[in-house]
Amino acid sequence: MTSAVARNGIVFGAERQNDAILTFDAQAVRVEMKSLKVGWRFDFKIPLQKWELP
């Protein structure tokens, strides 16, 4: 299963295109964060065994 969120627009006079894609499978969640700024781009996995309920 995949879910996504996007936030586009102009902030402080600069264009912003931030997107995140979350891909869920039986072992982990993959997080892909995309941006016009290279330093704000990330791609990582969170193993499900590290999750816990409060």
Side-chain angles (χ1 to χ4, degrees):
M1 177 171 65
T2 301
S3 181
V5 64
R7 187 153 187 188
N8 299 321
I10 298 188
V11 177
F12 301 117
E15 184 178 5
R16 174 175 57 185
Q17 292 180 350
N18 298 332
D19 304 292
I21 300 171
L22 306 174
T23 305
F24 300 85
D25 64 28
Q27 291 79 34
V29 174
R30 180 179 180 197
V31 179
E32 298 172 79
M33 298 176 74
K34 302 177 183 212
S35 174
L36 292 176
K37 294 184 177 184
V38 176
W40 290 10
R41 297 178 193 163
F42 299 96
D43 188 345
F44 58 92
K45 284 190 173 187
I46 304 170
L48 293 182
Q49 72 252 20
K50 293 196 174 195
W51 289 20
E52 62 183 57
L53 295 173

